[in-house]
Amino acid sequence: MQLYQNQSLKIYNTLSGDKEVFTPLHEGNVGMYVCGPTVYSNVHLGNCRTFISFDLVFRYLKHLGYKVRYVRNITDVGHMEDDGDEGEDKIAKKARLEKLEPMEIVQQYSVDFHQIMELFNALPPSIEPTATGHIIEQIETIRQIFDNGYAYESSGSVYFDVVKYNESHDYGILSGRNLDDMLSNSRELAGQEQKRNPADFALWKKAGPEHIMRWPSPWGDGFPGWHLECTSMSTKYLGDKFDIHGGGMDLKFPHHECEIAQNEACKGSTPVNYWLHANMLTLNGKKMAKSTGNNILPRELFSGNNNKLEKAFTPSVVRFFMMQAHYRSILDFSNDAIVAAEKGYNRLMEALDTLQGIAPSTNSSLDIGAWKQLCYDAMNDDFNSPILISYLFEAVRYINLLKEGKETLTSADIDDLSKTLHAFIYDVLGLKSETDADSSNDKLEGVVNMLIGMRNEARANKDFGLSDQIRNRLGDLGIELKDSKEGTTFSIN
Ligand code: AMP
Ligand code: ZN
């Protein structure tokens, strides 16, 4: 029996504009695709918020007992400066400015992204495909769209024919936009003359002679359009139909709208059952963004090295700050807000410690089962982490009353409360106890002291073979023992 069989999870689906009961296509299994970063610079805290929001979704689905295949891509080609079809490829531009190979840029910022995600205790996805690793699949997707009559070639580039598509489909179904409005509002941009209509978008772009990132195709040398990679890679790894597609709110249009159109044009169906969009992190009321410089980098927070901050904050405190807002709400970052989050986080962690010292009673004055279900109800209501946290603070209040002897719990209820708190705080919210590092040092110290004790015993028994073996084996691990009159001490090199 898995938890999901008792809990009714509802998810807000952008496509319907409603909270819907979550029913995966294949019982017990979930396929989830989330648009990953474009690796041309360090991820800022805003990007991290979106990935942490989906880490919460991933963690809760796993906690409920689903087997989740989570695919999150790396965009390493085709994302143009203006998020449209013109301008320079973001990665190619950075490579030009830094005088590096595009793949050096990709490697540098992919590594940075992974390090930051690990610091935030975000679980790695099950599959992390790159756009450049799936050029063949993307060419095949274009070929199918072409064969179905929704694409045209123009001077070595291939465009999606939005007007033709809209005759039989709804271009705007996800974002609520209307093609006529889009066409009447579109400006005549340079480079658009190759298109039949300004709303058309590139599936394949011809590479000029100076363009390094280029691949051969039936239409000549070029590179894929940004929206295409997610269509090809999501369906490759999750099938023609899958459960969840996520990304930041700003990807709804054009990126996700174009993904739907590409899929419909290629396979004749929409692959995604639930579209999820995470809201933006703002700074001074404005969206954090790379392009405007209105952002904070995670490492600046961890070091306190930013004039917007009074001090440094740990990744868990930053994560807790994010979890205090619902993923579909805008969250504004400020020094005061993160200081307040730190206080709350500390209170929560202290209560976990206090609970360990509570003596059991013969009866319970609190209904732990009912409280526990309220925690689940909060998460079942479209992953409502702020409501969950309010129930966790209710438990903090209980724990303090238990300590004062004003409430009582049986040993079984203390156990249940402790397990539930651990499950929600560590497994679901993904927080870490900041003393984890200290406690592993304590453990190491304990183990070495235990070996020193065993060595002393061996020496007392004149078993010098064993005592030397302990000293030498520790030495091989870089742990040096020093004997003196006062006893044996050790140092770690
Ligand atoms: P990019 O690397 O630009 O492709 O963005 C990666 C992800 O970060 C996308 O899902 C964006 O929607 C998301 N994102 C960008 N800016 C913000 C922000 N200020 N707050 C939350 N998410 C953001
Ligand atoms: Zn995408």
Side-chain angles (χ1 to χ4, degrees), residues 33-36 73 75 226-227 229-230 245-246 251 255-256 259:
Y33 185 90
V34 172
C35 294
N73 69 306
T75 296
W226 173 37
H227 316 304
E229 55 171 292
C230 291
H245 192 314
L251 296 188
H255 188 56
H256 292 161
E259 262 191 63

Side-chain angles (χ1 to χ4, degrees), residues 106-255:
V106 165
Q107 179 70 11
Q108 179 180 338
Y109 294 113
S110 299
V111 167
D112 174 74
F113 172 61
H114 291 143
Q115 285 173 346
I116 297 291
M117 284 299 111
E118 196 175 333
L119 285 167
F120 275 126
N121 202 26
L123 300 172
S126 332
I127 304 177
E128 194 170 45
T130 61
T132 56
H134 294 76
I135 301 291
I136 292 170
E137 288 82 349
Q138 295 179 77
I139 290 175
E140 179 56 20
T141 307
I142 301 175
R143 211 187 46 72
Q144 288 176 18
I145 297 175
F146 223 109
D147 288 353
N148 292 341
Y150 294 105
Y152 59 91
E153 187 182 351
S154 174
S155 313
S157 292
V158 181
Y159 293 99
F160 189 95
D161 191 339
V162 171
V163 173
K164 168 87 190 294
Y165 172 79
N166 200 53
E167 285 166 9
S168 47
H169 299 81
D170 180 3
Y171 184 73
I173 190 166
L174 181 73
S175 56
R177 296 190 188 207
N178 172 296
L179 183 59
D180 290 336
D181 295 344
M182 285 182 233
L183 291 176
S184 58
N185 291 335
S186 60
R187 292 171 291 139
E188 283 299 323
L189 294 172
Q192 299 269 34
E193 53 277 357
Q194 291 182 356
K195 297 181 184 179
R196 288 184 188 162
N197 260 297
D200 295 350
F201 57 89
L203 297 170
W204 188 259
K205 288 280 285 182
K206 179 191 167 86
E210 73 297 342
H211 206 95
I212 305 174
M213 289 196 284
R214 56 196 302 138
W215 289 265
S217 83
W219 314 282
D221 273 13
F223 56 96
W226 173 37
H227 316 304
L228 193 63
E229 55 171 292
C230 291
T231 295
S232 298
M233 299 192 292
S234 61
T235 50
K236 170 163 177 148
Y237 296 108
L238 297 171
D240 286 350
K241 262 214 166 303
F242 60 92
D243 300 298
I244 296 176
H245 192 314
M249 210 69 113
D250 56 345
L251 296 188
K252 232 192 277 181
F253 187 88
H255 188 56

